[in-house]
Amino acid sequence: MSQLVSRRTLGFNASPLHRQVEPHAFHYLAQRTSFWVAVLSLLAFVTGNMIGQHGWQVFWKSVLGRDNDSLIVYTGTVTPVALVPDYVRWYRYGGNPQEHTFREVPQDLLIPLPTYSSSLGDETTRVIYSVSYMGSYASGFENSGSHPAVDIRVPTGTPVRSIASGIVSEVKDATGFGKTVVIRHPNVPDPSNPARTTELYSNYAHLSVAFVNPGDIIEKGEQIALSGQTGDTTGPHLHFQIDRSDAPWHPYWPFTTEELRAAGYSTTQAIDRGFHSDRGTSFTVNPLLYVQADYAPVMTVVDESATVHSAASSSVASQTWLARIQARVAERRSERAVRLAEAVAVRLAQRQATVGAPAASSASSSSQGLTTSELPISAGEVVQRREVVVSREDTLPPASGTPVISVSISHDGTYSERNWERVRITLLDAKNNVVTSPMLDRDIVLRASYGSADFQPDTLSVLDFHDGRVEVGVLPHGRRTLVIQAIPFNVQSQPMKYTK
């Protein structure tokens, strides 16, 4: 039997014709398109979330365990409510905050929130601010009790806004307060010393709906909720309160249930008797006086010599940026005021022209008019036409037309969901005839006496009618039967019922 001999003994060496190399991990992954699609998708997701409104805030909170306050820039304060009803006038039209919502208040009866003061002198202010800061339920006046907030009487559904930029701390259903939103405001002027910064918490209670969540970054003036009547209340209002950062809880209340039981007081009795009012003044601030002060931002000055120039440049840039913002705000307010004045002037001119048309024509032929011949004309100018520009009469001629005694409201009797319906309003005289040349000295306000609806427009003047008639749009809410009322005539329509 032959013996096997190794190839190395005979001088032969074996090697493969095609060397097999194990691929590297990246070489393997480079062959997989799905892998890179997944990587790019992940990078896009992370980048988008970091660039978004809350991305960096969530990142720093996960790393440092709290919110990044450097993202919150104090730019001043605004009131928690922009518009409120003029209750004195609204009551005359049959308005009632216990029955009607904010959307049912006619637009021309809404006024800016009046300036809050400790005296609450005029009737409108006393009606709107039902309980003052550290006041009592009995009188409502300031420093007459231990109520640590200001109660603002507003109808349910009134838009509530954040008084300053901040971070939503809590959104909860608190005992007594009902649905509540708490916002933390870092690095804001200290009301005790506006040259220093502090941290405050604004509280909005008895809400019907909240539009924010804990952790949301809120800008000054951003709508956060709608007012309501949740919790322990006797009527719809906004409980507005500002706590200091060292308050043990938010919204802060100056006494606990155990302390009430020990003292033998009810909540109303404790507030009226000023129970632990010293705690209220220690842990809270007068909320409306603070927002009305609208303190300027506090500029931080760095004392190190190496950074004095940089700090000064940053401070000047911040002041310039803030000045630009304030200038733009002032410019917009001025433009709005000019547009409002022009619109009022045009409407008054149209109304005077409609009411006094015969007199205007006679005045145009009168020699008492001011003509272009009476205007100074410089050399070289040529008068193309002479005409009456304005009459010198100081008083308007007597109004002409037929007095409007009543109105009629007509519709097809039904409505469908989320559709605008047409409703016709007709002016009537004492014999129920249509008034084609009306003499109407007041506006007609439309509202829902039963049910709820939007009207477009909700206020009608004599200029809106053509031959004594006008059609308005009505958008019913929900599926309740709707009855329309025209004020001040107190005329009601036939019921408008929902149909599928």
Side-chain angles (χ1 to χ4, degrees):
M1 183 176 181
S2 61
Q3 186 178 2
L4 295 176
V5 180
S6 174
R7 70 175 184 273
R8 294 183 182 275
T9 304
L10 299 176
F12 292 100
N13 190 15
S15 62
L17 295 177
H18 302 283
R19 184 178 300 273
Q20 184 176 1
V21 181
E22 292 295 332
H24 194 274
F26 286 107
H27 176 76
Y28 174 79
L29 295 176
Q31 308 299 321
R32 300 296 184 267
T33 305
S34 59
F35 167 77
W36 292 110
V37 171
V39 170
L40 293 176
S41 300
L42 179 61
L43 289 176
F45 174 78
V46 172
T47 304
N49 279 274
M50 296 300 286
I51 294 176
Q53 179 186 9
H54 309 301
W56 287 108
Q57 185 261 345
V58 174
F59 171 76
W60 285 113
K61 187 171 183 180
S62 62
V63 174
L64 303 178
R66 62 165 297 163
D67 298 307
N68 181 18
D69 292 345
S70 64
L71 300 176
I72 309 302
V73 179
Y74 172 80
T75 57
T77 53
V78 294
T79 56
V81 174
L83 298 174
V84 295
D86 184 346
Y87 285 98
V88 177
R89 296 167 56 202
W90 193 30
Y91 286 151
R92 296 172 184 169
Y93 287 114
N96 186 351
Q98 298 280 1
E99 300 176 358
H100 304 129
T101 64
F102 179 82
R103 298 180 64 180
E104 295 177 299
V105 181
Q107 292 295 320
D108 59 341
L109 297 184
L110 294 175
I111 59 174
L113 184 68
T115 302
Y116 173 87
S117 64
S118 301
S119 59
L120 300 181
D122 59 282
E123 181 180 359
T124 301
T125 305
R126 288 196 301 270
V127 170
I128 293 175
Y129 300 115
S130 55
V131 181
S132 302
Y133 175 67
M134 299 309 297
S136 62
Y137 294 129
S139 67
F141 292 110
E142 195 168 298
N143 297 320
S144 61
S146 56
H147 187 264
V150 174
D151 283 350
I152 307 174
R153 180 181 283 115
V154 288
T156 298
T158 300
V160 179
R161 58 186 182 178
S162 176
I163 62 166
S165 301
I167 301 177
V168 178
S169 176
E170 296 179 85
V171 178
K172 59 185 178 180
D173 288 321
T175 303
F177 293 104
K179 187 175 292 295
T180 304
V181 172
V182 182
I183 300 179
R184 182 172 65 89
H185 306 281
N187 303 320
V188 296
D190 190 340
S192 302
N193 183 6
R196 300 185 308 176
T197 61
T198 186
E199 184 177 78
L200 299 175
Y201 288 78
S202 62
N203 306 270
Y204 316 82
H206 306 307
L207 306 173
S208 59
V209 179
F211 300 136
V212 294
N213 297 304
D216 288 352
I217 298 178
I218 304 300
E219 299 295 332
K220 178 186 75 172
E222 183 177 343
Q223 184 174 343
I224 59 174
L226 297 178
S227 68
Q229 195 178 348
T230 57
D232 297 336
T233 65
T234 57
H237 70 278
L238 174 65
H239 176 101
F240 174 51
Q241 178 175 330
I242 296 182
D243 298 339
R244 294 187 177 273
S245 58
D246 57 351
W249 57 81
H250 308 289
Y252 178 73
W253 198 250
F255 47 79
T256 63
T257 304
E258 290 74 15
E259 291 173 333
L260 278 182
R261 293 173 181 172
Y265 293 152
S266 65
T267 302
T268 302
Q269 292 173 341
I271 292 296
D272 290 343
R273 298 183 183 185
F275 190 48
H276 289 310
S277 60
D278 54 331
R279 298 179 184 175
T281 55
S282 176
F283 291 114
T284 65
V285 300
N286 193 316
L288 279 170
L289 291 186
Y290 181 80
V291 299
Q292 289 173 177
D294 194 13
Y295 294 110
V298 179
M299 300 299 176
T300 303
V301 180
V302 181
D303 295 331
E304 289 78 358
S305 59
T307 58
V308 168
H309 179 72
S310 176
S313 301
S314 176
S315 178
V316 171
S318 299
Q319 293 176 356
T320 304
W321 171 77
L322 181 61
R324 288 200 303 267
I325 291 180
Q326 293 175 343
R328 284 200 298 268
V329 172
E331 183 180 357
R332 291 177 180 176
R333 289 178 178 175
S334 177
E335 292 175 354
R336 291 175 183 173
V338 171
R339 288 198 299 268
L340 178 60
E342 292 176 351
V344 171
V346 169
R347 185 164 183 175
L348 289 177
Q350 292 174 345
R351 179 171 296 184
Q352 291 174 2
T354 301
V355 175
S361 61
S362 61
S364 63
S365 60
S366 175
S367 61
Q368 295 180 354
L370 179 62
T371 66
T372 55
S373 62
E374 300 180 25
L375 299 176
I377 303 176
S378 60
E381 293 183 352
V382 179
V383 178
Q384 299 290 343
R385 184 176 60 182
R386 299 176 183 272
E387 62 181 6
V388 174
V389 177
V390 65
S391 175
R392 288 182 177 176
E393 295 295 332
D394 294 330
T395 58
L396 290 174
S400 61
T402 305
V404 177
I405 304 301
S406 181
V407 299
S408 67
I409 307 173
S410 57
H411 52 77
D412 59 5
T414 61
Y415 71 90
S416 58
E417 196 170 9
R418 295 188 297 273
N419 287 330
W420 285 88
E421 302 292 331
R422 290 186 177 183
V423 174
R424 173 172 293 186
I425 311 298
T426 305
L427 303 178
L428 304 176
D429 59 11
K431 298 181 179 179
N432 287 332
N433 297 321
V434 178
V435 179
T436 57
S437 299
M439 186 175 64
L440 189 64
D441 60 351
R442 66 184 66 183
D443 291 343
I444 300 175
V445 178
L446 301 178
R447 73 176 187 91
S449 61
Y450 186 82
S452 178
D454 287 336
F455 298 91
Q456 186 62 37
D458 58 359
T459 304
L460 303 173
S461 70
V462 68
L463 303 177
D464 297 313
F465 289 86
H466 300 281
D467 294 331
R469 297 180 177 86
V470 66
E471 286 189 350
V472 300
V474 179
L475 180 62
H477 301 162
R479 300 182 178 182
R480 296 178 59 189
T481 299
L482 177 65
V483 177
I484 303 172
Q485 183 178 13
I487 298 174
F489 297 103
N490 292 325
V491 175
Q492 293 187 344
S493 69
Q494 294 295 322
M496 183 184 294
K497 299 181 180 180
Y498 169 80
T499 58
K500 295 183 179 180

